[in-house]
Amino acid sequence: MRPPQTDGTYAGMTQLRPFTVSALIAGTALAPLMAVVLVAAPATPAGAQQVPDQPVEWTPRRLNQLDRNVRRLERAVTQRNAAGDPVLIETDPEVVVLQGVVDNMQRRLSDLEATVQRMNGDIERLTFANDEAQRDNAAMRRLLTDSNNRIAELEGQLEAVAEANAPIVVDSPTGDARQDFERAIRLANEQDVRALRALEVFVITWPDEPQAREANYRLGDLRAEAGDQPGAVQAYASSLSGWPRTSWAPDATIKLASGLDATDRDEQACAAVREFFERYGEGAPTTLINRAERIRDQAECEA
């Protein structure tokens, strides 16, 4: 047996010295990598130049290969430990540095995630506040629109009341009898407060126009609705001047007779009933004939 040398080894035997290797755990995070040494190599001659290591480019293929090698080394270490032959294990400095970089990146990533969560919360709150503001604005617009409409309606009513209460004088809103008449009838059909004055103005402004009789007939209706029976009788009588043969003449005659009866002018009411039967009775609607007979009974007219 050869005598041991001063470093504890035997001459001619291979010296064991540590080498570090890195291991990568598959996935998105790097785990602490441990270097495992079980490599036999001849002693480095004294004075030999050390060639600087070239930086390693960690491609997916190289990383996969490194992972397989680490697994092999792990199995080898396990077998050597089981056989009672300890293996020197050192931490790879590059791995320590890399792990520090990874930890720093993970902390920064956590900070970014927390910042994003806070921003998302702020965005949700701002979105909710914006939705509420839009709803409030829409409600305010509706309220403002309703208020403007009500104000415009009130202004129109005030103008209509002022026009309705204006003095009855000769006046032509359009300068044309036909157009003035159509305007007055339209107001009457719409039950506008200005209708009464419009008809009264028309009959004194255009007394000789063909539309004057019908205007008086419609004026009698409005006065009767307002409870002005004497005024209604006067308007109906004016509409029947000359006993026109129009579709509304029979109705105007019965309304005239009814107004005379209501104002205790029975003799004149009976005369109006006689005119109805003589002039319009033939072919008159049954409803008008029945009303004429009731008036005749109420006024105690002679048969």
Side-chain angles (χ1 to χ4, degrees):
M1 177 178 297
R2 297 183 180 88
Q5 298 181 0
T6 57
D7 59 357
T9 62
Y10 292 88
M13 293 185 63
T14 302
Q15 181 183 7
L16 293 176
R17 58 190 182 86
F19 290 87
T20 60
V21 292
S22 301
L24 177 66
I25 295 178
T28 58
L30 292 174
L33 305 181
M34 306 301 294
V36 181
V37 178
L38 187 59
V39 181
T44 303
Q49 293 183 352
Q50 296 293 332
V51 179
D53 294 335
Q54 298 294 327
V56 178
E57 182 180 356
W58 293 105
T59 63
R61 179 179 179 184
R62 185 183 294 273
L63 290 173
N64 291 333
Q65 183 178 4
L66 177 61
D67 183 62
R68 290 194 297 271
N69 291 337
V70 169
R71 293 180 186 277
R72 295 192 191 99
L73 288 174
E74 287 176 347
R75 289 194 295 271
V77 169
T78 301
Q79 293 172 1
R80 292 296 297 268
N81 288 336
D85 189 2
V87 178
L88 176 63
I89 300 176
E90 295 180 354
T91 302
D92 190 342
E94 294 182 359
V95 173
V96 174
V97 174
L98 182 60
Q99 182 60 40
V101 173
V102 171
D103 291 342
N104 185 42
M105 292 179 64
Q106 288 178 342
R107 285 192 298 271
R108 294 181 62 184
L109 180 59
S110 298
D111 293 341
L112 288 174
E113 289 177 348
T115 301
V116 170
Q117 290 178 356
R118 288 194 299 270
M119 292 179 64
N120 288 337
D122 293 340
I123 291 173
E124 290 180 357
R125 287 190 294 270
L126 290 174
T127 301
F128 180 76
N130 184 56
D131 292 341
E132 283 192 335
Q134 289 182 348
R135 287 192 293 269
D136 292 341
N137 289 338
M140 289 295 293
R141 284 194 296 269
R142 289 194 297 270
L143 180 61
L144 181 61
T145 300
D146 293 343
S147 299
N148 289 336
N149 292 337
R150 293 183 62 184
I151 290 173
E153 182 179 356
L154 289 174
E155 289 177 347
Q157 291 177 357
L158 290 174
E159 292 178 358
V161 171
E163 182 179 345
N165 294 328
I168 307 300
V169 295
V170 175
D171 183 28
S172 175
T174 66
D176 180 77
R178 182 181 58 80
Q179 294 183 21
D180 287 352
F181 175 75
E182 291 176 353
R183 175 180 178 273
I185 296 300
R186 182 175 66 255
L187 293 175
N189 292 335
E190 295 173 355
Q191 297 182 345
D192 194 300
V193 295
R194 296 171 293 179
L196 181 63
R197 180 184 180 277
L199 289 170
E200 291 174 342
V201 170
F202 181 86
V203 296
I204 66 173
T205 303
W206 308 100
D208 299 327
E209 294 296 324
Q211 299 90 346
R213 289 180 177 177
E214 184 175 355
N216 274 298
Y217 165 64
R218 298 297 297 269
L219 178 59
D221 288 344
L222 293 181
R223 287 176 175 174
E225 291 175 4
D228 181 12
Q229 286 295 343
V233 167
Q234 179 184 1
Y236 288 135
S238 298
S239 69
L240 293 172
S241 176
W243 300 105
R245 306 296 297 182
T246 60
S247 58
W248 50 263
D251 182 67
T253 305
I254 294 300
K255 289 178 178 178
L256 172 62
S258 178
L260 291 170
D261 180 59
T263 54
D264 296 327
R265 287 180 280 184
D266 294 343
E267 183 177 350
Q268 293 177 345
C270 293
V273 170
R274 285 195 299 271
E275 292 291 342
F276 169 78
F277 281 109
E278 292 178 1
R279 298 181 183 276
Y280 310 114
E282 185 177 354
T286 304
T287 55
L288 291 181
I289 294 175
N290 292 337
R291 288 175 60 189
E293 290 176 350
R294 285 197 300 271
I295 295 172
R296 184 167 55 188
D297 293 339
Q298 292 172 1
E300 298 180 355
C301 300
E302 296 180 358

